[in-house]
Amino acid sequence: MHENQTSIPVLWVSGMGRVKVEPDMTEVKVGVVTENQSLSVAQSQSAEVVTKLIQSLQEAGIKKQDIQTDEYYIFPEYDYQDGNQEFRGYRVTHILNVTVDNIRNVGAIIDLAVSNGANRVSNVSFHVRNRTEYEQEALRRSLYDAQRKAQTVCQTLGVHLYPVPIKIVEGSSDVREERPVTYGKTTVLSSASTPVEAGQTEITAQVQVQFTYYSPQ
């Protein structure tokens, strides 16, 4: 609490608002890693599996625009023995980013991808499709929080708060996801669908608010 140059007593407080919400969409990365001494063969094998993988995903109801290439790269592979470098072949990696609208289908989509040749599954992340209403609610809660803090300070000091703030500075609103589920190379499939739990997403908003107050006569 301090006074500014015009001798109007002011009080700065911070406010935080949080809203927890269940995600309603998922993104998962699935892909293929192929190795061969011939680069053209490795690329051809990769293309064949990825084409089959994309077709199977679309047949399962994934829209074409929800399947995007996320990574594609080629690395030469070497073996090292007794200080000597020996060329082993090429590694081709092609990773797709797949958006799944129905979270309940994620496990089945993962199993489908693996059964159709995917040997890389990773970075399962959960998102809220329409965030605006939750962001607005988080902002309202952050303002209420700031006002409660200001009232507590003024009551403690025996002064009166003007309830309408004279300045509000909004901080960045962010979405903190639960830790993503990560899968390594998959080699065995069970008859049951891979279990994937979405948990909750927390949407937050922060504000810095300036109030004025006055002393009782």
Side-chain angles (χ1 to χ4, degrees):
M1 183 179 296
H2 63 276
E3 295 187 0
N4 61 21
Q5 294 179 349
T6 58
S7 298
I8 300 175
V10 298
L11 170 65
W12 276 102
V13 293
S14 62
M16 171 70 76
R18 295 180 174 89
V19 177
K20 289 188 176 181
V21 59
E22 292 186 4
D24 55 11
M25 63 179 295
T26 310
E27 289 185 350
V28 57
K29 297 185 189 303
V30 299
V32 179
V33 178
T34 57
E35 295 182 357
N36 196 283
Q37 282 194 325
S38 167
L39 176 57
S40 61
V41 171
Q43 287 180 299
S44 177
Q45 291 174 339
S46 176
E48 181 179 352
V49 177
V50 170
T51 299
K52 178 183 177 182
L53 177 58
I54 292 173
Q55 181 178 354
S56 68
L57 291 171
Q58 289 180 332
E59 289 175 353
I62 304 297
K63 301 182 182 68
K64 182 178 180 180
Q65 61 267 28
D66 289 335
I67 305 172
Q68 297 178 324
T69 294
D70 187 71
E71 299 176 28
Y72 185 89
Y73 48 85
I74 300 169
F75 281 130
E77 297 287 316
Y78 297 92
D79 289 327
Y80 296 87
Q81 187 173 3
D82 299 327
N84 296 319
Q85 176 177 286
E86 182 177 346
F87 177 70
R88 191 175 73 216
Y90 291 96
R91 171 180 291 189
V92 177
T93 301
H94 191 163
I95 304 296
L96 302 172
N97 188 75
V98 180
T99 300
V100 183
D101 286 336
N102 191 336
I103 289 180
R104 291 177 296 180
N105 294 338
V106 176
I109 292 298
I110 290 174
D111 292 344
L112 177 68
V114 174
S115 66
N116 281 274
N119 56 13
R120 286 292 185 274
V121 181
S122 63
N123 296 340
V124 179
S125 58
F126 304 96
H127 307 278
V128 178
R129 185 179 288 103
N130 297 316
R131 290 173 43 186
T132 302
E133 61 179 295
Y134 301 109
E135 290 173 337
Q136 294 300 315
E137 177 60 26
L139 180 59
R140 280 191 289 270
R141 294 184 183 186
S142 68
L143 288 169
Y144 294 150
D145 182 51
Q147 190 170 55
R148 284 194 298 266
K149 288 179 179 177
Q151 290 170 342
T152 298
V153 171
C154 288
Q155 289 171 0
T156 302
L157 297 178
V159 297
H160 296 300
L161 177 73
Y162 287 109
V164 179
I166 61 174
K167 189 173 185 179
I168 300 173
V169 179
E170 183 182 358
S172 60
S173 178
D174 68 289
V175 175
R176 292 209 301 272
E177 308 288 351
E178 296 294 320
R179 180 177 298 180
V181 181
T182 302
Y183 296 82
K185 185 175 181 179
T186 306
T187 55
V188 178
L189 282 177
S190 66
S191 58
S193 177
T194 299
V196 177
E197 296 296 330
Q200 287 188 319
T201 292
E202 185 177 82
I203 298 177
T204 67
Q206 291 180 306
V207 290
Q208 298 289 327
V209 185
Q210 187 182 66
F211 292 93
T212 58
Y213 62 93
Y214 62 96
S215 299
Q217 299 296 330

